[in-house]
Amino acid sequence: QVQLVESGGGLVQAGGSLRLSCAASGRSFSSYFMGWFRQAPGKERDFVAHISRSLSLSSTYYADSVKGRFTISRDNAKNTVYLQMNSLKPEDTAVYYCAAGYYGTSHYSTERPYDYWGQGTQVTVSS
């Protein structure tokens, strides 16, 4: 009942910034907690960031590898979640996926509680 479409990926030099967007279709967007994951070539898909369900303000959680550099946010009026990525490193190169979940939040850093996934958007950071 929720469809997610990521956008904003591209090629950027190390130290640069990108802002990813995830547009959600479907009702009650504010009732879903949202997450960003990424998958680098030859690696498993890893957790990046999480933002809780909220009518307005939300709590956030980040993987250690991106803490202090990435910021997840949401605009419920626009049914959109964002990932602002600053100080990008070549190690950030990956396909980035947006995900949404409704039931439970105790395992937000794993794929388990997320029921809906986007197609992904490629982020490439050159050195």
Side-chain angles (χ1 to χ4, degrees), residues 84-107:
Q84 178 66 47
M85 305 184 294
N86 298 326
S87 301
L88 283 163
K89 306 174 181 179
E91 304 93 280
D92 296 318
T93 295
V95 176
Y96 283 71
Y97 297 90
C98 176
Y102 186 83
Y103 299 105
T105 59
S106 60
H107 296 89

Side-chain angles (χ1 to χ4, degrees), residues 10 14 17 27 30 34 40 43-44 46 49 54 56 58-59 61-62 65 67 81 84 88 104 106 111 119-120:
S17 298
R27 199 174 181 275
S30 63
M34 306 294 295
K43 293 184 172 62
E44 299 291 320
D46 292 328
S54 176
S56 55
S58 300
S59 59
Y61 178 81
Y62 300 92
S65 59
K67 195 174 299 181
V81 63
Q84 178 66 47
L88 283 163
S106 60
E111 297 185 13
Q119 297 277 17

Side-chain angles (χ1 to χ4, degrees), residues 1 3 5-6 11-13 15 22 35 45 48 58-59 81 84 86 88 95 97 100 102 104-105 109 114 116 121:
Q1 61 183 294
Q3 292 182 334
V5 180
E6 302 96 335
L11 176 65
V12 65
Q13 287 188 307
C22 174
R45 185 157 60 187
V48 175
S58 300
S59 59
V81 63
Q84 178 66 47
N86 298 326
L88 283 163
V95 176
Y97 297 90
Y102 186 83
T105 59
S109 63
Y114 300 92
Y116 306 98
T121 185

Side-chain angles (χ1 to χ4, degrees), residues 30-33 51-55 58 74 101-105:
S30 63
S31 297
Y32 290 84
F33 56 86
I51 188 165
S52 66
R53 52 168 58 92
S54 176
L55 184 61
S58 300
R74 65 192 299 163
Y102 186 83
Y103 299 105
T105 59

